[in-house]
Every structure is written in structure tokens, then in C-alpha cells.
Amino acid sequence: MAFLSERFPLELAEEWDRSGFQLGILGKPCRRVLVALDLELGHLPLLSDVDLVVVHHPLLFRPISEIRTDTPLGEKLRALLAHDVALFALHTPYDVAQGGLGEVLAGFLGLENVRPLLPRGKFLKLVVFVPHGYEDQVAEAMFGAGAGKIGKYGHCSFRTKGIGTFLPEEGARPFLGEIGREERAEEVRLETIVPEEKAEKVVKAMLSAHPYEEVAYDLYPLANEARLHGLGRAGELPEPKPISKILEQFAENLGVPGPKEVVGERKEAQRIALCGGSGGDLIPYAVAFRADLFITGEAGYHRLKEAQESGLTVALFGHAETERPFVRHIASLLREAFPKLEVVEG
């Protein structure tokens, strides 16, 4: 769960979402994992040989006042508890995180210059004061934890030399100076940018690499958008291509016969937007991107009408169908990270 939460930070979840650990014992050994879009009644016979279930859609979504085991939800909870199986949901964090569903779907078409259709997340500015000569080791630790990346540039920082003062008091173990005597040290003000969801990890790495017993540092909120994450994805094909061929390629990678519905008159597309699941509300953003084609799972009548009048062709492949890649993707990540773990795709 820690591995998945780092790849797809739970802090990115929508306010209404219930992603994360939902049921079970965290300390139990894990040998076999079931990965599924939803925990279905048909999966229950598998639970006797499973330690953890990873699902896209949370099992516990709305508050419940009673657990009736003669209902589908109650039967699932009873089976999980009876077999001592933990359950972890990764819903909207997977939908919006960089490297999640958006990139998987964009990869089906080989889109270039892929970016979020509706960006999410913020940057923080981390400033730390380091004794001269140690700034590189502290910076490398922060960069290694995810700091200092702006667009396609990594290891971004700014460094200013100055004089720091401090007076070690009784009981202190100063790296420089003596107890009871004010010290003046040549220091470097080292500042870099940090995605908000990685701040805790970066600060921990910085403190571990810093030679001082007590470290002076500041975290500032920034108005900058961290365009790493967000709902939907948008990108371009190297050259225009017939929409029929694009949808045929997408369907083949998705493992379905084809789209359930196509609305629009365009015959070719180069600028393409995508969103798994129910992406109708992103149609205005696809129009603003000047997309030729928008691929999603489902959309309402009025949004489709809006797209049609804006000259945007929309292809609907089904809600579950466009989220189904979650299973194969998460299973492959777990197999790679934990070679001894048995992963079952449900």
C-alpha cells in the first residue's frame, strides 16, 4: 500500500472520494493480492487464498448505519472479515496522478506532448540554510526525493551565500561552534520547488542529509500550478490520422470491439483528449484545447450536444471499459516491485 500510495498519492483524491485503506490488518504478511476494478460477488470464492484486495472503486463509499449480510455489500464485508483479507482502494488518485490512467490511455495511441486536461496539484517552495560545502549533498538528497523538477528540467535550485548566526546552549551538540558562544558561519541559502504531495518525503531526505543538529528551513505555499497531475489527458499525434483508424487502434488496446457511440462529423484528428470513466464534464476543456477528438467512457446528452456544436467529435467506449486498464497496470507494477508476490487479476 505504501508503494502504491507513493506512485499515486492519496492526497490527490477528490474531496468526495474514499480512496485508501478500508478494511483489514496492516501488519499481516502479504503473499497473494487480488487486483480488480470492483470487488464483485464473483470474487468472493477467491478470498480464502488472498491477503489483500486492491480495487479501483472503493467498497465503502457512503456512510453505512448497519451491516446486513443478506445484501451484496454486507456479503462482501462478511467474506473479507471471515478470511481476514485487507482491502485498499485507489480511485481518483489513480485517475489524476501522473503515470496513472491518463498516461495509460494516451499510450494506447502513442500521443506526444501529453499533459493533463484539467491540471491538479500545487507546488511548494522549500528553503533551507546549509553550511558552505554541504549544499550539494543536501540538494542531491532533495532531488532524489522528488524536488527540483520544473517541466522537463530537473535539479532546479537557487543558491545564495550569506552569514548565519546561532548560539549553542547547554545540552546542544553543535556541528560548528562552542556551547555558550555565538557562532557566525558561512552558509548557503538553498531553495528549490517541491510538489505538495512529495513535501514530507523531501523534507525527511533533506533533514537526513543535513549536518546540523537543528535545521533551519521554510516551506512556502505557491500559486504555481503543478501541471504534473490532473483529470484527463491531451496530446497530439505526429500527423493527422483518420478517426476510424484511431478508434480501431484504441479499441484494440482496450480489448473491446469498438466504441459504443461516436458523435461528430470529423473524419481526421491530430489533437486528441481522453478521460477514463465518466468524462463528459471535461468536454469544455477538450474544446478549449482545440481537440479534434475526445475519447471517454460516457457523457450526458447536453455535453454531447455542446461538443457537436463546437466541432468536437466524441467517442464513448463505456465507463468500466475505459477504467479496466487499471487492473492490468496495477498488477504489472506490483509484480515488478514485489517479485515474490503472487498477483491475481480479477
Side-chain angles (χ1 to χ4, degrees):
M1 292 194 299
F3 166 76
L4 292 173
S5 298
E6 184 174 348
R7 290 292 297 263
F8 312 107
L10 297 178
E11 294 84 355
L12 294 174
E14 300 285 350
E15 289 185 7
W16 47 262
D17 192 18
R18 296 294 180 269
S19 285
F21 177 64
Q22 294 210 311
L23 185 148
I25 302 173
L26 287 171
K28 182 185 175 184
C30 188
R31 294 171 291 270
R32 197 166 191 241
V33 176
L34 170 65
V35 181
L37 192 64
D38 299 272
L39 180 63
E40 300 176 359
L41 293 174
H43 294 135
L44 300 191
L46 302 174
L47 297 186
S48 59
D49 294 320
V50 167
D51 302 301
L52 171 67
V53 176
V54 178
V55 289
H56 186 46
H57 297 127
L59 180 63
L60 298 172
F61 192 75
R62 296 178 179 85
I64 56 176
S65 57
E66 61 181 10
I67 299 176
R68 289 185 49 178
T69 55
D70 60 346
T71 65
L73 175 60
E75 190 175 349
K76 294 172 188 178
L77 292 172
R78 181 204 60 76
L80 288 166
L81 292 168
H83 294 294
D84 199 15
V85 178
L87 186 133
F88 180 78
L90 202 58
H91 188 201
T92 55
Y94 180 76
D95 290 343
V96 305
Q98 186 179 43
L101 183 61
E103 271 75 23
V104 172
L105 297 180
F108 286 171
L109 296 176
L111 297 184
E112 300 175 348
N113 302 315
V114 176
R115 59 274 206 192
L117 197 55
L118 180 58
R120 285 276 310 278
K122 293 290 184 182
F123 277 122
L124 301 176
K125 174 68 69 68
L126 173 58
V127 177
V128 59
F129 299 87
V130 188
H132 179 61
Y134 291 84
E135 60 270 24
D136 285 341
Q137 79 175 39
V138 174
E140 286 299 323
M142 294 193 295
F143 297 152
K149 187 168 178 60
I150 303 175
K152 295 183 179 180
Y153 294 85
H155 291 213
C156 299
S157 69
F158 192 82
R159 309 173 189 204
T160 311
K161 289 183 180 180
I163 300 296
T165 68
F166 51 89
L167 191 154
E169 298 178 353
E170 196 66 39
R173 294 177 297 169
F175 176 74
L176 297 171
E178 302 175 5
I179 301 293
R181 179 179 174 180
E182 183 180 286
E183 178 69 22
R184 291 176 174 263
E186 185 178 352
E187 294 182 334
V188 174
R189 175 190 168 105
L190 172 62
E191 52 187 281
T192 189
I193 200 164
V194 184
E196 188 175 35
E197 69 276 5
K198 293 186 178 181
E200 184 177 351
K201 182 180 178 182
V202 171
V203 168
K204 184 177 180 180
M206 177 270 291
L207 293 174
S208 297
H210 202 291
Y212 281 178
E213 181 182 19
E214 298 289 348
V215 181
Y217 70 94
D218 301 301
L219 274 172
Y220 300 103
L222 300 178
N224 308 43
E225 277 189 342
R227 303 182 69 87
L228 305 171
H229 314 293
L231 285 171
R233 292 297 184 272
E236 298 94 22
L237 294 171
E239 57 186 24
K241 188 175 179 179
I243 285 179
S244 60
K245 295 294 184 183
I246 295 171
L247 299 182
E248 183 180 319
Q249 179 181 343
F250 190 80
E252 183 179 348
N253 281 282
L254 202 60
V256 300
K260 297 184 176 184
E261 184 180 0
V262 179
V263 178
E265 304 297 329
R266 284 184 180 270
K267 302 300 181 185
E268 285 192 333
Q270 184 172 14
R271 295 172 67 85
I272 299 175
L274 314 95
C275 181
S278 181
D281 286 344
L282 291 188
I283 283 176
Y285 298 94
V287 171
F289 174 67
R290 293 182 289 110
D292 306 311
L293 172 65
F294 180 54
I295 298 174
T296 188
E298 59 183 355
Y301 170 83
H302 294 289
R303 285 300 191 194
L304 290 174
K305 194 69 176 174
E306 178 182 352
Q308 193 173 18
E309 292 176 345
S310 300
L312 172 67
T313 292
V314 179
L316 305 177
F317 279 84
H319 190 120
E321 288 83 350
T322 52
E323 292 184 334
R324 182 71 188 171
F326 167 89
V327 177
R328 184 171 54 189
H329 186 208
I330 294 298
S332 67
L333 290 176
L334 291 176
R335 290 186 184 112
E336 183 180 352
F338 307 99
K340 294 183 179 180
L341 192 67
E342 185 180 354
V343 181
V344 180
E345 297 181 27

